[in-house]
Amino acid sequence: MEDIKILVLGSGMVAPPCVGFLLRNKKNHITVGESSQSLITGLPRSTAIALDVSAASELEFQIASHNLVISLVPYVYHASVITLAIKHKVNVVTTSYISDAIRDLDHSAKKAGIVILNEVGVDPGVDHLYAIKKIDEVHAKGGKNPLGFKFSWSPRGALLSQFNSAHFLSGGKKVEISNKELMGVAKPYFVKDGYGFVAYPNRNSLPFQEFYAIPEADTVIRGSLRYEGNPAFVKALIDLGWLDTQAKDWLKAGLIWAEVLQKAIGAKDTSESVSESERIIDGLRWIGLFSSEQATIRGGNLLDTLCAQLEKELSYKSGERDLVMLQHKFVIEWQDGKKETLTSTLEVYGEPSGYSGMAKSVGITCGIATQLLLDGHKALNTPGVLAPYRKEICDPIRELLEQEGIKMVEALG
């Protein structure tokens, strides 16, 4: 039995359930880069190494020494990882969207005969698995016009995802919303009783009319769900400059939070004089931006400095659990003219003393897709840049995912 050597880049919350799933197969031996030993403590056939993904020579050595790479690092590094993997003919799996930089490597990947499998998390990932399923079922029965929504949350990525421009199809017309206007268009969205969600468009939905093979759809919107009040607060952070990734010469160690806020917004003093609603003021005060506590400066920019504070103030406490909520809504017009609304809903709670809901739904999905690739499943072994947009890829991943208790529930809505 030949061993399979897997390199996992990144050691965040998604990595443990992914690694745990892959270790069920005794052929798999895993190296976790950018990791502390604690991630793999007690796990068999696992090694943790210190690896800087920006150090090209060491990264190349590790990639060349493995049979497959799972890239869970920030998406900006994926193209560099994939380029080195192409050079050494090593398959790559990511949970991220296919960026233009990744798509540009499709020809080289095909020439090298390797697979670059992307979008196998929860969002993107699980959303595709069930969207394709339902759309195929509707098409088989002669229906048309589906509409989908989705939800995701990750610390730094959540803020930046709420500062993207959005493009979607509504009533047959292409609509564009600028990044500065995005939070202002969030509207109440009902998923189920007991939740107060709002939804806003997420990135570019236009290509999914083609990806999902629904040319007859005149409305295609992929959106994100947030609790009511979140978009207004994030808009205030945007307006105040807190999502700025540019380095600031004045942002140095030794400043207190109130001084950072003062300089960020150009106020004359450190008093609570921001011209926003009282709720926004209370939120800024709660996360400590008016305090006299010394600020933790990260990356020399406001966004990363803010994230350092949010990680401190908004981390889960013992006994708490997160929630992943994802819903597709399909508005279908049948051949006889009748219209119906169908929904598919995913509701995954984290385990207070175990994996978070996000870690489970992303990590296990990634692990399943990776194992299918390693096992030689035909649909997942087509060279080039892939994503789960086809039934042949979606069905085997979805069937195994449901065995892990992660499943969307369908209903007439």
Side-chain angles (χ1 to χ4, degrees), residues 103-273:
R103 188 172 286 107
D104 288 344
L105 295 170
D106 180 54
H107 177 72
S108 297
K110 289 176 178 175
K111 188 175 179 180
I114 68 167
V115 176
I116 311 299
L117 179 60
N118 307 271
E119 305 188 21
V120 286
V122 64
D123 170 28
V126 177
D127 51 352
H128 298 328
L129 307 183
Y130 283 86
I132 295 298
K133 174 180 179 291
K134 181 53 62 178
I135 288 167
D136 282 351
E137 290 172 355
V138 170
H139 280 166
K141 295 178 181 179
K144 60 182 183 179
N145 292 351
L147 168 70
F149 282 86
K150 61 173 187 173
F151 165 73
S152 70
W153 198 96
S154 62
R156 189 178 193 271
L159 289 175
L160 288 179
S161 73
Q162 293 181 257
F163 196 37
N164 286 315
S165 59
H167 306 258
F168 57 92
L169 192 66
S170 179
K173 296 181 180 180
K174 295 180 180 179
V175 179
E176 179 179 357
I177 299 174
S178 71
N179 60 343
K180 291 185 177 181
E181 296 173 336
L182 184 62
M183 291 299 96
V185 302
K187 298 184 182 301
Y189 181 86
F190 178 79
V191 176
K192 60 187 300 185
D193 290 335
Y195 295 101
F197 290 127
V198 295
Y200 58 87
N202 180 28
R203 307 193 192 199
N204 188 0
S205 301
L206 297 176
F208 287 89
Q209 186 181 36
E210 176 184 352
F211 295 161
Y212 286 173
I214 45 174
E216 73 277 16
D218 63 6
T219 297
V220 180
I221 305 174
R222 289 168 55 85
S224 289
L225 298 177
R226 294 291 185 269
Y227 285 115
E228 187 176 1
N230 169 273
F233 187 72
V234 172
K235 186 177 187 303
L237 292 176
I238 292 170
D239 293 343
L240 293 171
W242 279 101
L243 268 64
D244 189 352
T245 59
Q246 297 299 310
K248 307 293 182 187
D249 292 337
W250 54 263
L251 195 55
K252 305 290 185 181
L255 292 172
I256 65 172
W257 280 109
E259 291 172 332
V260 175
L261 178 62
Q262 173 197 351
K263 291 178 178 294
I265 67 177
K268 294 181 180 180
D269 57 47
T270 59
S271 63
E272 300 177 13
S273 58

Side-chain angles (χ1 to χ4, degrees), residues 352-379:
S353 58
Y355 295 139
S356 70
M358 182 61 74
K360 285 193 298 184
S361 52
V362 176
I364 292 177
T365 306
C366 179
I368 287 171
T370 300
Q371 192 61 59
L372 287 168
L373 173 58
L374 290 171
D375 289 344
H377 193 284
K378 184 177 180 181

Side-chain angles (χ1 to χ4, degrees), residues 373-396:
L373 173 58
L374 290 171
D375 289 344
H377 193 284
K378 184 177 180 181
L380 281 81
N381 276 269
T382 303
V385 174
L386 299 182
Y389 299 155
R390 296 184 292 110
K391 173 182 173 64
E392 294 80 9
I393 297 177
C394 291
D395 282 359

Side-chain angles (χ1 to χ4, degrees), residues 72-127:
L72 300 176
V73 293
Y75 75 92
V76 294
Y77 294 107
H78 290 332
S80 298
V81 170
I82 293 169
T83 298
L84 292 174
I86 289 172
K87 179 179 178 180
H88 295 281
K89 298 185 177 181
V90 176
N91 292 333
V92 180
V93 177
T94 86
T95 60
S96 301
Y97 284 103
I98 297 176
S99 65
D100 290 340
I102 293 176
R103 188 172 286 107
D104 288 344
L105 295 170
D106 180 54
H107 177 72
S108 297
K110 289 176 178 175
K111 188 175 179 180
I114 68 167
V115 176
I116 311 299
L117 179 60
N118 307 271
E119 305 188 21
V120 286
V122 64
D123 170 28
V126 177
D127 51 352

